Amino acid sequence: MTDISQDPHATPARRIKWGRVLDHAILIAGSLFMLIPLLVVLQTTTTTDIETIKNGPELLIGTQFDDNFMKAMFKASGFSGENTGTSMLINSMILGLGFALGKIVIGMMAAYALVYFRLRFATFAFWLIFTTLLLPLEVRILPSYEIAQKLSLLNTYTGLIVPLIASATATFFFRQYFRSVPEELVEAARIDGAGPVKFFIDILVPLSQTMIAAMFIIMFVFGWNQYLWPTMVTTEEGMYTLVRGIKQLTQDLEGTNIPEYGRANMLALIAILPPVAVVIFFQSWFVKGLTESDK
């Protein structure tokens, strides 16, 4: 009888790497811990508001998910009846996309001027732009609001987006990215007769796709979650964003009405989906945009 242990072609037994098992166990436990609040929110969207007040969060899934979804998306609240979940979702999407695209365009153009135009005070201008990161929105909220009011930008998409699209963060990342572009490419473009606009559109923009994707994720999520500025510039209910609308629903806690937990939590779940979808879709580009340096 042949001894299997002496067979040179036998497959060696795999050893369990307990260190890797422990790492995965910690990651899974951390993920489950972070998912608990989301599961609680999901459970409250399946029960009536009275049951939620009476029993609190439970492990059992109710049957009111469809009803809460219809109320969240199509039932109007407030005085005007214009701020349905659908309209607030559209407003948030316009704010997030306009916020991200505007910051990317402004940041790319500013970085292009700082890197490729021989400006005498380019470095000083860059650091002046960069120091604006030290000024949070709360510091400049009143001057920005006064300007928006004088320009009649209140309750408009222009007023929601334009005052916030200047971005030192995007300018910094695009500047660093453009500086890594080889000088040989710039010289070749000049020999081929490419002017500044053609070089920017035909060469730099395609090269910057991964960086654009990375900046789009950051700026879209940041714009989507804006609360203070939309609260300042929107007084008409038809211009409310999802974050503003959820806050309005939860204000019933301070009154005598029954808080609409199911509807508010359903809107919260809906508000989570677009940023998550953007992050998942651009995930690989996001990593490449922040790590790669070879052109």
Side-chain angles (χ1 to χ4, degrees), residues 94-293:
I94 293 174
L95 174 59
L97 291 175
F99 194 85
L101 295 177
K103 281 184 173 291
I104 289 172
V105 172
I106 297 298
M108 289 188 71
M109 294 176 65
Y112 180 61
L114 291 172
V115 174
Y116 292 102
F117 288 85
R118 306 303 180 186
L119 303 177
R120 178 177 299 180
F121 301 105
T123 303
F124 174 76
F126 167 72
W127 286 111
L128 191 63
I129 295 172
F130 193 73
T131 53
T132 60
L133 290 174
L134 303 176
L135 297 175
L137 177 62
E138 291 77 7
V139 175
R140 49 190 173 88
I141 191 73
L142 291 179
S144 299
Y145 176 80
E146 184 177 1
I147 294 174
Q149 184 182 31
K150 290 181 178 180
L151 296 178
S152 301
L153 297 179
L154 301 183
N155 295 307
T156 63
Y157 293 122
T158 305
L160 273 174
I161 297 170
V162 172
L164 302 180
I165 61 175
S167 174
T169 303
T171 302
F172 170 76
F173 278 103
F174 281 116
R175 176 181 179 269
Q176 299 304 111
Y177 194 86
F178 291 163
R179 292 183 67 181
S180 65
V181 175
E183 282 293 331
E184 292 80 2
L185 185 61
V186 181
E187 294 297 332
R190 290 174 180 171
I191 294 173
D192 290 340
V197 176
K198 185 175 180 60
F199 175 73
F200 178 76
I201 296 176
D202 294 344
I203 298 178
L204 280 185
V205 172
L207 280 177
S208 306
Q209 288 182 356
T210 54
M211 180 58 69
I212 291 173
M215 287 296 100
F216 182 83
I217 292 177
I218 297 173
M219 299 307 173
F220 179 84
V221 174
F222 184 71
W224 181 272
N225 293 326
Q226 282 292 315
Y227 172 73
L228 179 59
W229 181 249
T231 302
M232 294 286 292
V233 300
T234 57
T235 56
E236 296 179 0
E237 293 180 342
M239 293 296 298
Y240 283 4
T241 60
L242 272 176
V243 178
R244 175 86 187 273
I246 294 171
K247 177 61 178 177
Q248 185 186 41
L249 289 176
T250 56
Q251 285 177 347
D252 286 337
L253 286 168
E254 303 172 359
T256 58
N257 297 327
I258 297 177
E260 297 185 85
Y261 289 113
R263 184 183 177 192
N265 289 329
M266 180 62 73
L267 285 174
L269 287 178
I270 295 172
I272 293 173
L273 295 179
V276 170
V278 169
V279 171
I280 293 175
F281 182 78
F282 290 105
Q283 182 178 11
S284 60
W285 286 15
F286 176 77
V287 175
K288 290 180 181 178
L290 296 182
T291 58
E292 73 174 9
S293 59

